């Protein structure tokens, strides 16, 4: 948000230093002591004789002041809004308000511009930027933002802007200016913040030193002239000033004691609450790309807490940079409180951002109660209205639908009445307006946007009372597909015969969709059947489009899945004629979507008959010459002990599991992967950044570091980059949250060191483990050539349901006959409550001997889980591709995690599957969505959809009950777990409890 320019620097005086004029919210202009009304804008005169005159706006009045504070000019503009932008040049005055910009010449109104949206600056700027253009040796452009960031840009010889300096303040910047303030030797940048601070940034690092040297030379010259340096006079003046300040401080303390005594004496039961004296400002913005709102709140003092109340349900989201603890309370819908939450702020927090989503199309009110940390802790109330916006977008474009509004006003009046409504919709979905004589037509590809506009127009007309508004809805539907026209008309025939649909048919369609007026008589049985037919047909068409989109344009296999989908929609196989639930339909669609993937191009094998590694080459960083190893170790400047996670990353880098990486990511690559999930230059996918962390202050760029682990020398690292990472940004981008309730975020925040290191590594040895981890080259050599290899990732012991899952995956529609499955569990660090890696390794070994299936291959992966959901699914696919796998089984909620406090899931059940399917073609792999298999008494293991459709009895055994039975020595049913696996787990449980 562009703030009013309330700080200006006056021209140099006799001593070549300049003074600052500052206006604040309390109506004070520093240096001029103006205390009349709220100062909304300050500007220097631009006329030939106005360079040392300052002009300020207080409301709609413009005043002129001299440097001594004497008022010489006053002009009442007569504007209905407060002046926010002011420019004065001779007899010309340009005054800008929120939506109107006026030009006055000699006090007469000579021009008017009414903007369609809020004016943020009269020269240039953005929605949250304060812009300063400087000269006289200062930087060309200085940008101050509402988030507290300050940027200095220079213009190079080619006329292109170049970022010169960047700094971050703890509060928002309201104004910037420049001049000679701290020293006449070099210009400074002056920044005015929300809490009233004025900060000077020296434009030259040696400016203060130059000024100090000049002062010393002056003192020395005075001494050589026979005049003693005035040190004694300076000391005496300082002591007098200190004594004066101490006296004022004592007087203030006495006043405080007196007021406290008076307050205690007058305190009664009927005493009212103290008035809030804390300045709090706020701004509600819409982020269309995320479909969410952000409420920015900033106070002039530190905040203790913020209570949030909403009349509509809100989903509160994490936002990087927030330093507050969120607590949710149960909603009280009876009292109109659909959302109740509290943000407990940390010390010295005066700015808070609240990100949330609301149900689209529902208007509401959000109220925030801010409580300062300093007494009196009086509450300030912030209230914002949520407009009823459409938050979804169209996948395919169709000719625009239209809604016409006819009113008994002229063209200008219609435009003025509709402007607030269009402003609400402008950021959500594109909507154009055409105003005619007494009519206004609105066109948009989103019918939801038009429905919201329809309801808003009716509400505005009802509130105005004097307006008579008629709304006509309709239009040519001949461009629609037959099934959509049939749904619009509500008729069961074939395609509609073209022309315009009647208003009655459209009203019926609106009642079905819930986007138009409510009411109407109940449909007959025949009409209900026709409506069901139309809905089924539309749903089937949606599935066709969705499958084609999700599989990269391929639609093969969809036709075979449509009959089963229609049966579920119609409930033909259900007992009692009841239809399937939405969860069953979605589960069926997810499983059937793999049919579309069967027509995708097969992977591209390399000359060995296996899939090519990520990037085309399998990296091998192991140094095998002993003399070279010794020389590398001797060349190291520092030694760094690896954590368990570090050791896993070093091993995977060394053997090529992270191909094409040849070391830990440098700063540029790290930031690119965090933000874009891709490596810079090659643009190859990389799900998560691979970094080495350290707390060492001694390590420098260009040095070598010996990486050790439990007495072993693992690798030598050449430090290319060392930087202080933005961990909040990393966790938000990679894990989707900054909450410490997420184990991955907690790991980054508490386990990783202060700095990150990036650079190439030279492998010396692999960590000695109790379980062998075959390298990608060894696994590839053991796999059959020209054969599909389906990878199964797990971090827990394999039970019967898992076995059914990965053996059935070998017969998926997109897997060729003769395929093998590589069971590739991670044996590195995972979550704290997971079974230890050595115990998991023993369960896999005994199970491998028990089943003896030649189509099942086994290998172990030294990888540390991040529980990063969708992005970690991509990381697993890249690693398995390097190990020679062509397919990857993506489980429901893969790499997912729950909140350590509330137990809520951080990711959706199918987020990882959808993300993997989306990116699989680019990796040259194919994703195999895991089936939801259950055990039934009648048919053994079947899919959950089959069990429900056939009415089978499903048997369940919870993980908690399973662990209790293990510790108690009870028999574990064989349909749930393998005997060999149960034996290992029972021994571990008894040993742990004993």
């Amino acid at each position: 948000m562009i703030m009013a320019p309330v700080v200006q620097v006056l021209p140099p005086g006799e001593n070549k230093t300049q003074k600052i004029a500052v206006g604040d919210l309390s109506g004070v202009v520093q240096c001029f002591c103006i205390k009349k009304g709220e100062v909304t804008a300050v500007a220097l005169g631009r006329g030939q004789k106005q360079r040392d005159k300052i002009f300020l706006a207080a409301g709609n009045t413009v005043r002129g002041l001299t440097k001594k504070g004497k008022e010489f000019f006053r002009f009442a503009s007569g504007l209905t809004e407060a002046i926010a932008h002011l420019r004065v040049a001779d007899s010309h005055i340009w005054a800008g308000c929120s939506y109107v910009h006026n030009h006055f010449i000699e006090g007469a109104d000579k021009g008017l511009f009414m903007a369609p949206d809020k004016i943020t600056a009269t020269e240039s700027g953005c929605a949250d930027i304060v812009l300063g253009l400087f000269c006289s040796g200062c930087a060309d452009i200085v940008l101050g933002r509402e988030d507290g960031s300050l940027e200095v840009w220079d213009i190079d010889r080619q006329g292109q802007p170049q970022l010169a300096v960047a700094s971050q303040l703890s509060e928002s910047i309201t104004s910037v200016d420049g001049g000679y303030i701290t020293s006449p030797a070099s210009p400074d940048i002056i920044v005015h913040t929300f809490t009233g601070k004025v900060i000077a940034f020296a434009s030259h690092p040696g400016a203060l030193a130059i000024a100090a040297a000049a002062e010393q030379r002056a003192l020395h010259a005075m001494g050589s002239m026979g005049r003693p340096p005035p040190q004694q006079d300076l000391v005496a003046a300082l002591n007098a000033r200190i004594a004066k300040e101490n006296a004022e401080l004592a007087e203030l303390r006495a006043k405080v004691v007196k007021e406290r005594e008076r307050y205690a004496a007058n305190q009664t039961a009927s005493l009212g609450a103290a008035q809030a004296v804390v300045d709090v400002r706020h701004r509600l913005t819409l982020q269309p790309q995320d479909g969410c709102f952000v409420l920015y709140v900033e106070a002039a003092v530190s905040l203790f807490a913020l209570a949030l109340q909403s009349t509509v349900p809100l989903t509160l989201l994490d936002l990087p940079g927030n330093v507050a603890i969120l607590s949710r309370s149960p909603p009280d819908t009876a009292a109109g409180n659909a959302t109740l939450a509290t943000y407990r702020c940390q010390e010295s927090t005066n700015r808070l951002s609240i990100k949330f989503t609301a149900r689209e199309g529902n208007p509401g009110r959000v109220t925030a109660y801010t409580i300062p940390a300093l007494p009196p802790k009086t509450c300030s109330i912030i209230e914002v209205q949520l407009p009823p916006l459409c938050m979804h977008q169209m996948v395919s474009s169709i000719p625009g639908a239209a809604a016409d509004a006819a009113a008994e006003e002229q063209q200008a009046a219609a435009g003025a009445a509709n402007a607030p409504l269009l402003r609400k919709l402008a950021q959500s979905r594109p909507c154009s307006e055409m105003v005619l004589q007494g009519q206004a037509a609105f066109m948009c590809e989103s019918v939801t946007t038009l429905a919201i506009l329809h309801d808003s127009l009716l509400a505005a007309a009802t509130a105005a009372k004097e307006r008579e508004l008629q709304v006509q809805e309709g239009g040519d539907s001949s461009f629609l597909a037959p099934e959509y026209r049939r749904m619009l008309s509500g008729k069961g025939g074939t395609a509609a015969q073209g022309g315009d649909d009647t208003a009655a048919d459209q009203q019926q369609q609106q009642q079905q969709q819930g986007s138009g007026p409510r009411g109407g008589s109940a449909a007959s049985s025949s009409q209900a059947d026709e409506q069901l037919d139309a809905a089924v047909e539309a749903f089937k068409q949606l599935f066709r489009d969705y499958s084609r989109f999700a599989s990269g344009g391929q639609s093969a296999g969809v036709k075979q899945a449509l009959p089963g989908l229609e049966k579920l929609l119609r409930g033909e196989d259900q007992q009692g004629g009841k239809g399937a639930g939405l969860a069953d339909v979605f589960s069926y669609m997810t499983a059937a979507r793999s049919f579309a993937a069967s027509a995708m191009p097969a992977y591209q094998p390399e000359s060995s008959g296996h899939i090519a590694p990520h990037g085309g080459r399998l990296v091998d960083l192991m140094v095998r010459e002993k003399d070279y190893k010794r020389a590398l170790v001797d060349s190291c400047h520092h030694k760094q002990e690896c954590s368990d996670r570090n050791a896993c990353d070093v091993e995977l880098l060394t053997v090529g599991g992270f191909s094409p990486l040849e070391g830990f990511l440098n700063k540029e690559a790290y930031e690119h992967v965090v933000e874009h999930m891709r490596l810079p230059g090659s643009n190859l996918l990389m799900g998560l950044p691979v970094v080495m962390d350290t707390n060492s202050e001694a390590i420098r760029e260009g040095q070598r570091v010996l990486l050790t682990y439990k007495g072993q020398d693992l690798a030598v690292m050449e430090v290319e980059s060392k930087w202080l990472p933005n961990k909040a940004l990393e966790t938000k981008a990679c894990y989707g949250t900054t909450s410490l309730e997420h184990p991955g975020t907690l790991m980054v925040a508490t386990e990783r060191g202060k700095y990150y290191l990036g650079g190439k590594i030279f492998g010396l040895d692999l960590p000695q483990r109790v379980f062998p981890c075959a390298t990608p080259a060894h696994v590839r050599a053991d796999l059959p050539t020209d054969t599909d290899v389906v990878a199964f990732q797990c971090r827990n012991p394999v039970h019967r349901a898992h076995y059914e899952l990965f053996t059935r995956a070998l017969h998926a529609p997109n897997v060729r006959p003769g395929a093998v499955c590589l069971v590739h569990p991670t044996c590195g660090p995972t979550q704290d409550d997971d079974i230890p890696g050595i115990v998991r390794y023993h369960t896999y070994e005994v199970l491998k001997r028990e089943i003896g299936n030649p189509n099942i291959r086994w290998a172990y992966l030294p990888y540390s889980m991040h529980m990063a959901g969708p992005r970690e699914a991509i990381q697993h696919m890249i690693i398995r591709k390097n190990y020679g796998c062509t397919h990857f089984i993506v489980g429901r909620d893969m790499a997912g995690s729950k909140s350590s406090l509330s137990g809520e899931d951080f990711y959706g059940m199918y987020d990882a599957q959808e993300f993997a399917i989306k990116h699989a073609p680019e990796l040259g792999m194919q994703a195999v969505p895991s089936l939801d298999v259950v055990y039934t008494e009648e048919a053994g293991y079947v899919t959950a959809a089959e069990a429900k459709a056939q009415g089978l009895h499903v048997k369940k055994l919870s993980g908690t009950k399973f662990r209790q039975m293990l510790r108690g020595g009870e028999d574990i049913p064989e349909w749930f777990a393998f005997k060999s696996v149960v034996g290992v787990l029972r021994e571990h449980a008894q040993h742990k409890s004993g």
Side-chain angles (χ1 to χ4, degrees):
M1 181 175 72
I2 286 287
M3 299 299 300
V6 293
V7 60
Q8 291 288 335
V9 177
L10 297 177
E14 295 180 356
N15 59 357
K16 296 184 180 181
T17 60
Q18 297 170 258
K19 296 182 179 180
I20 307 170
V22 180
D24 60 24
L25 295 178
S26 62
V28 177
V29 179
Q30 303 292 340
C31 299
F32 299 98
C33 301
I34 302 301
K35 299 182 180 179
K36 299 178 181 179
E38 177 182 337
V39 176
T40 56
V42 178
L44 286 178
R46 298 189 178 187
Q48 187 66 27
K49 298 181 180 180
Q50 296 174 334
R51 301 294 184 180
D52 60 345
K53 303 297 189 297
I54 188 165
F55 295 85
L56 63 91
N60 61 0
T61 301
V62 180
R63 296 186 177 96
L65 305 168
T66 65
K67 286 194 296 184
K68 295 183 178 180
K70 183 178 180 180
E71 181 176 312
F72 68 90
F73 172 77
R74 178 182 293 226
F75 169 63
S77 66
L79 297 174
T80 58
E81 300 177 28
I83 299 174
H85 317 284
L86 181 64
R87 296 290 182 271
V88 179
D90 294 324
S91 60
H92 296 260
I93 298 177
W94 291 268
C97 305
S98 297
Y99 294 96
V100 177
H101 191 73
N102 279 65
H103 180 203
F104 300 92
I105 301 178
E106 295 182 350
D109 193 346
K110 295 298 182 181
L112 167 68
F113 171 73
M114 181 175 291
D117 203 351
K118 189 172 184 179
I119 299 173
T120 57
T122 56
E123 292 184 345
S124 58
C126 301
D128 61 345
I129 296 176
V130 179
L131 175 63
L133 304 176
F134 303 144
C135 55
S136 302
C138 289
D140 295 305
I141 302 174
V142 179
L143 300 178
R145 290 186 169 84
E146 191 179 43
D147 61 1
S149 61
L150 179 69
E151 296 178 359
V152 182
W153 293 75
D154 285 331
I155 306 299
D156 61 17
R157 295 181 179 179
Q158 288 74 32
Q160 298 298 319
Q162 300 289 334
L163 180 63
V165 180
S167 183
Q168 182 67 43
L169 303 183
S170 61
E171 55 191 280
S172 62
I173 298 173
T174 58
S175 297
V176 294
D177 207 336
Y180 295 82
I181 305 300
T182 60
S183 169
S186 180
D188 305 321
I189 297 171
I190 307 304
V191 175
H192 182 226
T193 66
F194 172 70
T195 59
K197 297 177 183 176
V198 178
I199 306 172
F201 291 85
S203 60
H204 189 278
L208 297 179
I210 294 173
E215 183 178 355
Q216 290 298 325
R217 288 195 299 270
L219 292 175
H220 179 73
M222 293 172 62
S224 64
M225 296 170 60
R227 296 166 55 190
Q231 284 91 346
Q232 296 180 356
D233 294 339
L234 289 175
V235 171
L238 289 174
N239 289 334
R241 185 173 181 179
I242 291 173
K244 181 180 179 182
E245 297 292 341
N246 287 333
E248 291 181 359
L249 182 60
E251 183 180 356
L252 290 174
R253 287 175 176 169
K255 288 183 178 180
V256 170
V257 173
K258 184 177 179 180
E259 289 298 320
R260 285 179 176 172
E261 293 175 352
R262 186 178 67 84
Y263 175 81
N266 297 333
Q267 189 173 11
T268 61
S270 59
L271 188 64
Q275 182 180 0
V277 295
V278 177
D279 289 325
V280 179
R281 69 172 182 178
H282 67 280
R283 180 166 62 94
L284 180 69
T285 62
L286 172 67
Q287 295 184 347
Q289 66 277 12
D290 298 331
C292 61
F293 295 93
V294 178
L295 176 62
Y296 298 94
V297 179
E298 186 171 19
V301 299
S302 298
L303 291 174
F304 171 75
L306 182 146
L308 194 71
Q309 174 190 27
S310 174
T311 59
V312 294
L314 304 179
T315 302
L316 301 178
L317 308 174
D318 290 323
L319 196 63
N322 266 359
V323 285
I325 301 175
L326 172 61
S327 300
R328 298 177 176 87
S329 302
D332 185 5
T333 54
N337 300 323
T339 300
L340 294 171
T342 303
Y343 289 84
R344 181 71 176 270
C345 301
Q346 296 184 12
E347 189 176 359
S348 302
T349 300
N350 69 322
R351 184 171 55 197
L352 193 63
S353 301
I354 303 171
K355 186 176 183 180
F356 59 88
T357 60
R359 294 177 182 175
E360 66 175 82
N362 290 341
R365 184 182 70 256
V366 176
T367 306
Y369 304 86
T370 61
I371 305 173
L374 301 177
K377 294 186 177 181
T378 54
C379 180
S380 298
I381 301 177
I382 298 171
E383 189 173 286
V384 294
Q385 298 293 331
L386 296 182
L389 300 182
C390 171
M391 294 298 186
H392 71 270
Q393 62 184 10
M394 305 284 290
V395 174
S396 59
S397 297
I398 60 173
D404 293 334
E408 294 183 353
E409 292 96 359
Q410 298 298 322
Q411 177 177 353
N418 297 328
L421 301 174
L422 288 178
R423 280 198 294 269
K424 291 181 179 180
L425 297 167
Q427 288 185 297
S428 61
R429 300 300 314 134
C431 183
S432 61
E433 176 191 22
M434 179 175 62
V435 180
L436 302 176
Q437 186 71 20
Q439 293 186 344
F442 302 91
M443 289 155 285
C444 181
E445 67 176 6
S446 172
V447 68
T448 308
T449 299
L450 291 175
I452 293 171
L453 183 59
H454 164 271
D455 295 338
S456 300
L457 283 171
L458 289 179
T462 303
K465 294 183 181 179
E466 69 236 23
R467 297 182 181 180
E468 179 183 354
L469 182 68
Q470 297 177 350
V471 177
Q472 178 186 359
E473 300 164 333
D476 185 9
S477 63
S478 60
F479 61 88
L480 294 175
E483 56 265 33
Y484 292 131
R485 293 207 303 270
R486 196 163 64 240
M487 183 176 68
L488 282 174
S489 64
K491 299 175 181 179
T494 57
Q497 301 301 318
D500 294 344
D501 292 313
T502 64
D505 289 332
Q506 290 214 12
Q507 184 177 5
Q508 182 185 19
Q509 180 266 336
Q510 285 185 343
Q511 292 170 358
Q512 296 169 10
Q513 292 186 344
S515 61
R518 301 291 185 263
S521 59
S524 64
S525 176
S526 176
Q527 290 176 330
D529 292 339
E530 292 172 355
Q531 293 170 4
L532 176 61
D533 292 341
V536 169
E537 197 64 31
F539 208 97
K540 288 165 61 178
Q541 182 60 42
L542 171 65
F543 177 63
R544 293 189 192 98
D545 297 338
Y546 178 59
S547 299
R548 183 169 60 251
F549 175 78
S551 58
Q554 302 294 330
S555 58
V558 177
K559 185 176 180 180
Q560 297 92 316
L562 287 176
L565 175 63
E566 185 166 354
K567 286 184 178 180
L568 285 176
L569 291 170
R570 295 184 179 277
E572 294 178 1
D573 295 334
Q574 300 295 323
Q575 300 295 329
K578 294 183 179 180
L582 182 59
D584 301 301
V585 174
F586 186 78
S587 178
Y588 180 87
M589 291 174 64
T590 303
R593 191 171 55 191
S594 61
F595 284 98
S598 63
M600 294 173 59
Y603 66 91
Q604 298 296 323
E606 58 180 356
S607 58
S608 63
H610 299 113
I611 186 174
H614 194 44
R617 180 178 66 90
L618 189 63
V619 173
D620 184 1
L621 304 179
M622 181 62 70
V623 176
R624 293 173 173 81
E625 297 181 8
K626 293 183 179 180
D627 292 342
Y628 189 25
K629 286 184 178 181
R630 190 178 302 109
L632 284 170
V633 173
D634 293 341
S635 67
C636 291
H637 303 83
H638 305 280
K639 182 184 293 186
Q640 166 105 1
E641 176 69 11
C642 293
S643 65
D644 291 340
R645 293 182 182 273
N646 294 149
C648 290
D649 290 341
V650 171
E651 182 172 359
L652 284 176
L653 284 170
T654 301
V655 301
F658 283 138
S659 294
L661 300 185
E662 296 185 354
F664 291 101
L665 298 180
N666 59 24
K667 185 176 185 292
E668 177 190 1
Y670 158 81
E671 292 175 347
H672 204 79
V673 170
V674 167
E675 184 175 357
H676 304 290
M677 205 177 73
R678 293 182 181 276
L679 296 173
S682 65
N683 207 38
L684 290 172
L685 285 171
M686 182 60 61
L688 297 171
V690 182
V691 294
M692 171 61 70
D693 62 286
T694 183
N695 285 316
S696 173
E697 301 284 351
I699 297 176
R700 296 288 184 268
E701 294 179 356
Q703 295 180 336
R704 285 183 173 178
V705 179
L706 178 62
L707 303 179
T708 62
Y709 179 65
K710 297 182 178 180
Q712 284 185 269
D713 294 341
L714 293 187
V716 172
M717 179 182 181
E718 289 185 345
V719 181
E720 179 184 343
S721 300
K722 179 183 180 181
W723 71 97
L724 193 66
N726 186 338
K727 294 185 177 181
L729 178 64
E730 175 187 349
T731 54
K732 181 62 177 177
C734 296
Y735 303 99
T737 179
T738 57
S739 172
L740 294 181
E741 300 172 23
H742 188 290
T745 302
L746 183 66
M747 178 272 295
V748 172
T750 61
E751 293 183 22
R752 284 187 178 171
K754 179 180 179 181
Y755 301 102
Y756 283 177
L757 304 176
K760 181 178 175 59
I761 70 168
F762 301 87
L764 305 177
D765 199 1
L766 298 180
Q768 296 177 2
R769 306 182 186 277
V770 294
F771 48 88
C773 292
T775 67
H778 292 154
V779 173
R780 283 171 168 265
D782 189 50
L783 293 174
T785 59
D786 300 321
T787 302
D788 286 353
V789 180
V790 182
F792 176 69
Q793 143 71 24
C794 61
R795 71 176 196 272
N796 290 310
V798 174
H799 294 312
R800 289 280 186 181
H802 302 115
Y803 182 76
E804 290 289 333
L805 191 152
F806 62 70
T807 53
R808 290 180 182 228
L810 295 177
H811 306 287
N814 60 335
V815 177
R816 295 181 296 176
V820 298
C821 178
L822 175 65
V823 181
H824 204 200
T826 56
C827 294
T830 56
Q831 296 191 98
D832 293 338
D833 56 349
D834 280 345
I835 297 174
I838 182 61
V839 178
R840 284 179 273 142
Y841 164 71
H842 286 307
T843 64
Y844 302 140
E845 286 295 303
V846 296
L847 180 59
K848 179 168 61 173
R849 292 191 294 267
E850 180 177 348
I851 60 177
N853 189 337
N855 293 327
I856 308 299
R857 309 297 174 92
W858 297 79
Y860 306 108
L861 182 68
Y863 176 82
S864 59
M865 292 291 295
H866 293 252
M867 318 310 296
R871 288 190 61 155
E872 188 156 23
I874 301 300
Q875 195 85 333
H876 279 293
M877 293 181 71
I878 293 172
I879 294 173
R880 278 16 183 262
K881 179 182 180 180
N882 289 327
Y883 276 84
C885 299
T886 61
H887 295 66
F888 185 72
I889 301 174
V890 189
R892 296 183 305 161
D893 194 25
M894 179 182 177
S897 181
K898 298 178 182 294
S899 166
S900 58
L901 297 181
S902 65
E904 296 180 1
D905 291 312
F906 280 102
Y907 313 108
M909 184 66 70
Y910 300 96
D911 287 356
Q913 285 187 358
E914 294 175 354
F915 206 62
I917 291 172
K918 175 183 177 182
H919 293 285
E922 184 177 351
L923 290 172
M925 300 180 70
Q926 296 191 40
V928 181
S930 65
L931 299 175
D932 184 13
V933 294
V934 295
Y935 182 80
T936 62
E937 296 179 355
E938 298 86 350
Y941 277 100
V942 297
T943 64
E946 292 173 343
K948 186 170 184 178
Q950 300 175 24
L952 305 178
H953 295 83
V954 177
K955 301 188 69 173
K956 296 182 179 180
L957 180 61
S958 67
T960 302
K961 179 63 176 177
F962 172 64
R963 289 188 290 271
Q964 291 176 351
M965 295 173 69
L966 277 177
R967 291 191 294 267
E970 301 179 46
D971 291 335
I972 306 296
E974 292 189 19
W975 62 264
F976 182 82
F978 293 94
K979 284 186 176 181
S980 57
V981 175
V982 170
V984 175
L985 294 177
R986 187 176 304 236
E987 181 180 353
H988 167 67
Q990 293 174 350
H991 175 75
K992 184 177 180 181
S993 61

